Amino acid sequence: RYINDANTYNIDQQFLVGRALLVSPNLLPESNNVHAYIPQDVWYEFPSGVKLNSVGLFIDLYAPISKINIHVRGGFIIPMQIPGDNLVLGRGNPFTLLVAQSQSGSANGNLFWDDGESIDSIETKIYNYLEFSLTDFNKLTINTLVSNYKDFAMRLDLVKILGVNKFVTNVTVNGKIYSNFLYNIPDQILVVYALDLDMLAQSSQTIQWSTSN
């Protein structure tokens, strides 16, 4: 991703997971810090969601043995699910969407979902495929393109939007006023909670918010 950034050429103790997650582990014994490079881009700390102010340079990150530093790149939407004790028990658990805004107020992500065991899901078309998009700083759209696997519900419980730099005054879900939201002013994070939204119920659903000037 950062092939034109010469600062990345000799780094062998950090890595990207896909295009969205930057992992900076502490590999040194008896050390509580890691000297990490943060490429020039929009990055948010995970799981706090706080936006990094220092980018395009090396910084020291607090990294005790109990912590692995992970940063989420702006412009991506990451679907997550509360885990269960095993695959079967976790299948029906609710989902969370982590929305990391880019500088232009957009983000995208997708989710492929099948039974987790079959090797012919594509051929038999027994799977679900969803795309998520954030546009215009304030509109999240969930598009369900394929919804053929329905052994377990796919319910969205919480959406966490990072980098919302204006005070949020109201939220709508599928065009209806929704009151279960919190806006964290210092960290610029909007959390819409207790949604219980069936992501397979409609081909397209929206969560939108208004802000003060």
Side-chain angles (χ1 to χ4, degrees):
R1 172 62 180 89
Y2 300 100
I3 58 175
N4 295 320
D5 186 344
N7 288 320
T8 66
Y9 294 171
N10 295 319
I11 294 176
D12 59 5
Q13 296 186 359
Q14 292 176 262
F15 57 93
L16 285 165
V17 178
R19 296 182 297 159
L21 299 177
L22 175 63
V23 183
S24 305
N26 182 2
L27 303 179
L28 300 177
E30 301 180 4
S31 173
N32 285 326
N33 292 282
V34 58
H35 193 58
Y37 181 67
I38 309 297
Q40 184 70 46
D41 219 322
V42 177
W43 295 98
Y44 303 90
E45 294 179 357
F46 181 85
S48 72
V50 176
K51 186 177 180 180
L52 278 187
N53 293 319
S54 300
V55 295
L57 44 77
F58 285 89
I59 62 175
D60 288 322
L61 301 172
Y62 181 58
I65 193 170
S66 59
K67 179 182 180 181
I68 297 178
N69 282 280
I70 299 174
H71 293 89
V72 182
R73 182 178 156 212
F76 290 89
I77 299 175
I78 301 175
M80 302 184 294
Q81 187 184 37
I82 298 172
D85 290 337
N86 57 46
L87 180 63
V88 174
L89 294 177
R91 298 297 287 177
N93 286 347
F95 287 84
T96 292
L97 290 182
L98 180 63
V99 182
Q101 285 198 72
S102 68
Q103 200 68 40
S104 61
S106 62
N108 292 280
N110 56 64
L111 175 62
F112 176 90
W113 194 252
D114 64 2
D115 63 8
E117 298 177 333
S118 301
I119 61 174
D120 59 351
S121 299
I122 299 295
E123 291 77 8
T124 60
K125 298 183 179 179
I126 307 300
Y127 65 90
N128 301 328
Y129 181 71
L130 298 87
E131 291 185 344
F132 313 103
S133 63
L134 173 70
T135 54
D136 300 325
F137 293 94
N138 72 336
K139 184 179 181 181
L140 174 65
T141 303
I142 302 169
N143 288 319
T144 302
L145 304 182
V146 181
S147 57
N148 295 330
Y149 175 66
K150 298 184 179 179
D151 287 6
F152 292 91
M154 295 187 70
R155 308 200 75 85
L156 180 63
D157 180 64
L158 184 144
V159 176
K160 186 175 183 179
I161 305 104
L162 313 180
V164 181
N165 59 11
K166 293 183 179 180
F167 186 81
V168 177
T169 56
N170 65 73
V171 172
T172 61
V173 177
N174 292 327
K176 297 180 180 179
I177 294 293
Y178 191 77
S179 59
N180 292 336
F181 71 92
L182 296 170
Y183 178 63
N184 182 324
I185 296 175
D187 296 335
Q188 300 184 343
I189 297 171
L190 171 63
V191 177
V192 185
Y193 62 94
L195 282 161
D196 195 29
L197 185 70
D198 183 356
M199 293 193 290
L200 304 181
Q202 300 173 216
S203 60
S204 183
Q205 303 187 70
T206 59
I207 299 173
Q208 197 162 1
W209 51 96
S210 300
T211 59
S212 58
N213 294 327

